Amino acid sequence: MSKSKIFSSDTHKTLETKIKDFLNSYPSFMTEQTSSSPRATGDAIQEILGDSLKDILGGNCSNYSSSFERRAMADLSFSDADGFNYIVDVKTHRLSTSFSMPNLISVERLAKFYEDDKNYFILLIVQYKIVQTSITVEQVHFLPIESLDWNCLTIGALGWGQIQIKNANTININATYSRKKWMKELCETLLKFYPKEVEKIKKRIDFFKVIKNKWEQKVDE
């Protein structure tokens, strides 16, 4: 399988630095009201990056788009000269937050998207601190999901299953993962996860059988 030049070289590291420097040099964009809301901050950063990432990517970018519905699997997308397609999910995390378990992507969506070796699901993770209305970006990660070590990921019980970061304060990167190895580990994780979910559903079915029986014994008023 051919690999993206962005991630088989140090290009993605250069992009991380450029994005961090860009955000830290950006004019203040928060108010006292919005700075207390991680969601408002995240929305503002996502909007700024949507307008600016194309220029930051420079020659690495074509077919750029930042027009997606809120529930879409991407916030941004672009292609490169080698025909690789990138969809980018922007995640922000305030470092003073003690715990956060962000959803990344449905396991079904990722499995279907990765049927094409030319596709990359990218996480653009912005970790920041905020004092009053002043934001300082401490770290930026720009990486494909398969560079996240499974020891910092989990599966949430939503739909087919949702890949989540266990705690956004702890992001472990394993750049040596191949996509094949990472996807095999995803499958192994799901083959352990699904039987447990079946047992939970069986218990719920039994519970509501009892509830139904109780209501059947009642007399309508």
Side-chain angles (χ1 to χ4, degrees), residues 143-209:
L143 73 174
I145 193 171
E146 60 265 32
S147 289
L148 290 182
D149 199 301
W150 270 102
N151 63 18
C152 72
L153 298 175
T154 188
I155 304 294
L158 178 65
W160 287 66
Q162 193 82 9
I163 301 174
Q164 300 173 315
I165 296 176
K166 290 179 182 178
N167 186 341
N169 286 311
T170 303
I171 296 175
N172 298 325
I173 297 171
N174 187 344
T176 64
Y177 261 128
S178 68
R179 178 176 294 188
K180 177 180 177 179
K181 181 178 179 181
W182 193 92
M183 288 298 294
K184 284 177 63 179
E185 194 156 346
L186 168 64
C187 294
E188 290 167 2
T189 300
L190 289 170
L191 291 174
K192 295 176 183 177
F193 173 78
Y194 285 140
K196 295 177 183 178
E197 292 303 298
V198 170
E199 288 302 313
K200 289 179 184 178
I201 290 171
K202 286 179 178 178
K203 290 179 182 179
R204 293 167 190 169
I205 290 171
D206 291 340
F207 174 81
F208 278 102
K209 282 181 177 178

Side-chain angles (χ1 to χ4, degrees), residues 7-47:
F7 298 105
S8 59
S9 68
D10 289 334
T11 300
H12 66 291
K13 290 292 183 185
T14 301
L15 290 172
E16 289 174 346
T17 300
K18 286 184 176 180
I19 293 167
K20 178 182 175 181
D21 291 346
F22 169 77
L23 289 174
N24 281 333
S25 65
Y26 200 86
S28 179
F29 54 90
M30 303 303 293
T31 66
E32 290 184 6
Q33 290 74 25
T34 58
S35 63
S36 62
S37 168
R39 172 168 289 188
T41 306
D43 287 347
I45 291 174
Q46 179 184 316
E47 184 175 348

Side-chain angles (χ1 to χ4, degrees), residues 72-121:
M73 63 188 289
D75 299 311
L76 316 166
S77 69
F78 66 97
S79 302
D80 67 17
D82 297 316
F84 288 98
N85 306 304
Y86 307 85
I87 61 171
V88 183
D89 186 17
V90 178
K91 296 294 183 188
T92 57
H93 176 62
R94 185 171 179 172
L95 290 170
S96 61
T97 305
S98 59
F99 180 78
S100 174
M101 184 182 284
N103 291 329
L104 301 182
I105 188 173
S106 156
V107 295
E108 180 197 21
R109 278 184 166 184
L110 183 66
K112 289 181 177 179
F113 187 62
Y114 270 10
E115 287 177 0
D116 187 339
D117 291 338
K118 289 283 191 177
N119 290 342
Y120 275 82
F121 179 69

Side-chain angles (χ1 to χ4, degrees), residues 206-218:
D206 291 340
F207 174 81
F208 278 102
K209 282 181 177 178
V210 173
I211 295 298
K212 179 184 177 184
N213 183 61
K214 288 181 179 179
W215 278 99
E216 286 176 338
Q217 305 307 313
K218 288 181 179 286

